[in-house]
């Protein structure tokens, strides 16, 4: 099965398709979304642009085959790998996919900026800082600007929907934003 066929199979399947690649199982697009966002696995998500598909972006992640029973104990083995049916909101997936593709291009832009002359880099760093999370103090309140992942989490959160580990990671991400800003003197108490 070629790469394009794998993407087509995943787009038509309601859940996760994991394709066996050596000793790894690899997920694409919707499968990556379900594994990382809905099931809360902390896999590294990569965004790849395919020249054969007019530079279309795809997302991918992988994990060792020998950890399958621990991660997806109810998964069905197939001749190509594994299938794991899982209903998800297609609109939320589209927003997640757009965000990941945007973050990847933003990271590439940042990498290019680090190779530029110092004056240009300083201007670009200032522009990037404006786009990033900010905290403002207003009388008795502190406002935290949430990133898209945090907004999606709050919009989809329901008691018992996510594991405690995922909830703790979300709270830690908010705490990290507060600690980063206060350590750098950006909040004046």
């Amino acid at each position: 099965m070629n790469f394009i066929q794998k993407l087509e199979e995943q787009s038509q399947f309601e859940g996760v398709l994991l394709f066996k690649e050596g000793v790894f199982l690899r997920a694409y697009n919707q499968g990556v979304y379900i594994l990382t966002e809905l099931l809360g696995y902390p896999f590294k998500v990569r965004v790849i642009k395919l020249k054969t598909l007019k530079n279309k972006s795809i997302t991918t992640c992988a994990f060792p085959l020998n950890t399958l029973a621990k991660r997806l104990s109810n998964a069905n083995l197939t001749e190509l790998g594994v299938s794991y049916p899982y209903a998800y909101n297609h609109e939320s997936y589209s927003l997640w996919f757009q965000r990941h593709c945007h973050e990847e291009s933003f990271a590439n832009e940042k990498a290019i900026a680090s190779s530029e002359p110092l004056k240009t880099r300083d201007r670009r760093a200032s522009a990037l800082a404006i786009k990033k999370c900010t905290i403002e103090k207003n009388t008795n309140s502190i406002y935290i600007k949430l990133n898209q992942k945090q907004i999606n989490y709050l919009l989809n959160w329901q008691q018992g929907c996510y594991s405690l580990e995922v909830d703790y990671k979300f709270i830690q991400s908010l705490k990290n934003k507060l600690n980063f800003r206060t350590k750098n003197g950006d909040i004046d108490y």
Side-chain angles (χ1 to χ4, degrees), residues 107-118 121 124 128:
N108 290 340
E109 193 176 298
K110 194 172 178 181
I112 291 168
S114 67
S115 65
E116 294 174 345
L118 188 58
R121 194 177 330 148
R124 197 178 275 273
L128 293 174

Side-chain angles (χ1 to χ4, degrees), residues 21 24 38 45 55-56 90 98 118 139 147 178 180 185 187:
E21 296 180 4
F24 289 94
L38 302 181
V45 177
N55 282 332
K56 179 181 177 182
H90 294 268
Q98 290 171 1
L118 188 58
T139 60
N147 63 34
L178 285 171
F180 175 76
I187 295 178

Side-chain angles (χ1 to χ4, degrees), residues 93-143:
Y93 161 70
S94 295
L95 292 171
W96 174 88
F97 184 81
Q98 290 171 1
R99 186 186 80 243
H100 267 285
C101 292
H102 173 73
E103 286 175 358
E104 181 71 17
S105 64
F106 186 72
N108 290 340
E109 193 176 298
K110 194 172 178 181
I112 291 168
S114 67
S115 65
E116 294 174 345
L118 188 58
K119 212 176 235 186
T120 307
R121 194 177 330 148
D122 289 343
R123 280 195 306 267
R124 197 178 275 273
S126 296
L128 293 174
I130 291 169
K131 290 181 181 178
K132 284 187 177 181
C133 144
T134 59
I135 299 175
E136 302 168 4
K137 185 175 183 207
N138 183 7
T139 60
N140 296 327
S141 302
I142 295 176
Y143 298 94

Side-chain angles (χ1 to χ4, degrees), residues 128-178:
L128 293 174
I130 291 169
K131 290 181 181 178
K132 284 187 177 181
C133 144
T134 59
I135 299 175
E136 302 168 4
K137 185 175 183 207
N138 183 7
T139 60
N140 296 327
S141 302
I142 295 176
Y143 298 94
I144 302 173
K145 186 174 180 183
L146 302 176
N147 63 34
Q148 191 61 48
K149 186 174 184 179
Q150 292 165 324
I151 291 168
N152 289 343
Y153 176 83
L154 287 173
L155 288 173
N156 295 319
W157 187 88
Q158 294 177 3
Q159 187 172 359
C161 181
Y162 296 104
S163 69
L164 285 177
E165 182 181 352
V166 173
D167 288 343
Y168 291 143
K169 285 182 181 181
F170 172 75
I171 292 168
Q172 187 62 46
S173 73
L174 296 179
K175 189 173 178 181
N176 288 344
K177 286 183 178 193
L178 285 171

Side-chain angles (χ1 to χ4, degrees), residues 14-15 30 33-34 37-38 86-97 155-156:
E14 185 77 13
Q30 295 90 342
Y33 168 70
I34 293 168
E37 289 296 305
L38 302 181
Y86 195 96
Y88 64 96
N89 181 311
H90 294 268
E91 187 176 317
S92 295
Y93 161 70
S94 295
L95 292 171
W96 174 88
F97 184 81
L155 288 173
N156 295 319

